[in-house]
Amino acid sequence: MYIVYIIGTILILGLITTCIYLYRRNVQVEEKYVTQLELAQKEAAVSIAACEEEYKQKKQADLTEKEEHYKNIIRDLREKHTAQLIKSTKYIKSLEAFSKNKGEIVIHKTLTTLQTNLIHKNKITADDMIIMGNVFMPYYMNEQLFIRQIDHVVLMKTGIYLIEVKNWSGDILYGIRKDQIHELSFLVDSLSTRVARTEEQTFVFTKTSDGEIKVMSKPHPGKEVQQHAASLKSYLQKLRRDIPVVTPIVYFNGDYNTSVKNYSQNHSLCFSTKDDLSVFFTEQLKQQPIYTTEDLKMFKETLEKASYHFIHS
């Protein structure tokens, strides 16, 4: 019995020792897990803080980039708006410079009267002579939009004619050059800025009520009408490339005492009486036709659309 008691005591002590060992082991494991958990939580907190900081930095960088992008857009829009405003201002000023004057009305009546007479004489139909007054034609110079105002355009089967009207009265020396008057060339220099000997100029001589002679140097209309004719030809060549020429004409709508001496050699025609202008267009009917009725209608519609678009835009 004593042996059994000893063995039982030993077993009980062994069991107690084992329990104590397992308990301590469990406590150590639990402490280790707690320590690892705390470490993991700290690492997670650091990682989250780092992610948040990275996110904030990235968000700030994105905001800065977008802000710069929109600043560039706004700057570009302002620059475009300013450029467009400058173009529009110049364009409006060019439009304001144009208005229908007395001379243009007189010429329009002269041309329509001639057209009516030719129709009554069965020389033409209404579609064979198209008269257009106050034509606005767009053109670009140095990438800026401008407008050429053409007093009259006459479309006929024999050609396209551009008329510039000047309300000048007196004795007119049209297209004179210094090399044409030789010894008197100093008078040209005294009346205008110094120009080349071969550059054409126009002078108007009028007599005042006191009997004095007044001399005015005028911008040479021959140069202006040549530029208009070249622009019109270029514009219409978008429709039909084989346009040989647009004939430039200057008409001086002065009083009955007006006379014109034509010295010009730039191939622009000039007239000072309605009869001379009517005779010229009547004689043109004898020339060989180069356009059809359909061509004339196409030219007319194109010029009407251009004028309407730029007047109402």
Side-chain angles (χ1 to χ4, degrees):
M1 290 295 292
Y2 178 75
I3 295 173
V4 173
Y5 172 77
I6 292 174
I7 293 172
T9 302
I10 293 172
L11 290 174
I12 292 171
L13 289 174
L15 180 61
I16 293 171
T17 302
T18 302
C19 290
I20 292 172
Y21 171 77
L22 292 174
Y23 171 77
R24 288 180 177 177
R25 180 69 180 270
N26 185 56
V27 170
Q28 290 176 352
V29 170
E30 186 177 351
E31 289 176 351
K32 182 178 179 181
Y33 286 157
V34 169
T35 301
Q36 290 178 346
L37 179 60
E38 290 176 350
L39 180 61
Q41 288 176 341
K42 289 181 181 179
E43 291 178 350
V46 172
S47 178
I48 291 172
C51 289
E52 288 179 348
E53 183 63 25
E54 183 180 357
Y55 172 75
K56 288 180 180 179
Q57 292 178 356
K58 185 176 181 181
K59 183 178 180 181
Q60 184 61 39
D62 289 343
L63 288 174
T64 302
E65 183 180 354
K66 288 181 179 179
E67 183 180 4
E68 188 66 25
H69 174 68
Y70 286 116
K71 281 183 179 179
N72 291 335
I73 291 177
I74 293 172
R75 186 185 65 249
D76 292 343
L77 288 174
R78 284 178 178 172
E79 291 177 354
K80 289 180 181 178
H81 174 73
T82 301
Q84 186 62 40
L85 183 62
I86 293 173
K87 288 183 180 180
S88 298
T89 301
K90 291 183 178 180
Y91 172 72
I92 291 171
K93 287 182 178 179
S94 69
L95 284 179
E96 289 175 344
F98 305 137
S99 61
K100 205 159 188 175
N101 57 44
K102 179 181 177 182
E104 295 173 26
I105 295 173
V106 170
I107 287 300
H108 192 77
K109 289 182 177 178
T110 300
L111 293 172
T112 53
T113 299
L114 172 63
Q115 180 192 45
T116 301
N117 290 337
L118 292 174
I119 292 174
H120 286 167
K121 293 178 182 179
N122 293 323
K123 291 187 176 182
I124 63 170
T125 66
D127 294 331
D128 293 335
M129 184 179 185
I130 298 174
I131 302 165
M132 304 182 67
N134 230 25
V135 176
F136 293 88
M137 185 181 64
Y139 73 100
Y140 285 87
M141 184 171 64
N142 297 328
E143 297 184 353
Q144 294 186 3
L145 176 64
F146 293 91
I147 285 291
R148 289 197 191 279
Q149 184 261 352
I150 302 173
D151 294 342
H152 276 87
V153 174
V154 179
L155 305 173
M156 300 175 65
K157 290 183 177 180
T158 54
I160 300 171
Y161 309 88
L162 183 151
I163 305 175
E164 179 71 20
V165 181
K166 297 297 180 184
N167 292 307
W168 299 348
S169 297
D171 296 315
I172 301 172
L173 301 185
Y174 175 78
I176 194 168
R177 303 183 323 200
K178 290 171 64 175
D179 62 352
Q180 292 173 319
I181 53 178
H182 305 295
E183 295 85 357
L184 298 179
S185 62
F186 71 92
L187 291 176
V188 175
D189 288 332
S190 65
L191 293 172
S192 62
T193 56
R194 292 188 174 276
V195 295
R197 292 184 60 82
T198 57
E199 184 175 343
E200 295 187 353
Q201 301 176 85
T202 295
F203 298 96
V204 179
F205 295 77
T206 57
K207 184 180 290 188
T208 66
S209 57
D210 298 332
E212 296 181 352
I213 300 297
K214 183 178 179 181
V215 184
M216 292 176 289
S217 173
K218 295 284 190 177
H220 182 46
K223 182 178 181 180
E224 178 184 7
V225 76
Q226 287 280 4
Q227 291 174 343
H228 286 4
S231 295
L232 180 58
K233 176 181 176 181
S234 176
Y235 191 73
L236 293 179
Q237 279 180 329
K238 297 177 183 178
L239 304 174
R240 175 171 166 168
R241 297 198 59 82
D242 57 335
I243 294 180
V245 69
V246 173
T247 303
I249 300 171
V250 178
Y251 183 83
F252 294 99
N253 182 57
D255 56 30
Y256 65 93
N257 288 322
T258 299
S259 66
V260 179
K261 180 67 174 177
N262 187 0
Y263 291 91
S264 178
Q265 298 180 6
N266 69 0
H267 307 295
S268 63
L269 303 172
C270 71
F271 301 100
S272 59
T273 69
K274 294 182 284 186
D275 290 341
D276 289 343
L277 188 64
S278 297
V279 169
F280 168 77
F281 280 110
T282 302
E283 290 296 317
Q284 291 300 298
L285 297 176
K286 300 177 182 178
Q287 303 298 320
Q288 184 70 25
I290 55 178
Y291 302 117
T292 65
T293 302
E294 289 70 24
D295 289 333
L296 301 184
K297 288 181 179 179
M298 179 176 60
F299 295 153
K300 178 183 180 229
E301 290 174 358
T302 299
L303 293 176
E304 285 177 340
K305 288 179 180 178
S307 294
Y308 180 86
H309 173 74
F310 283 93
I311 290 174
H312 295 278
S313 61

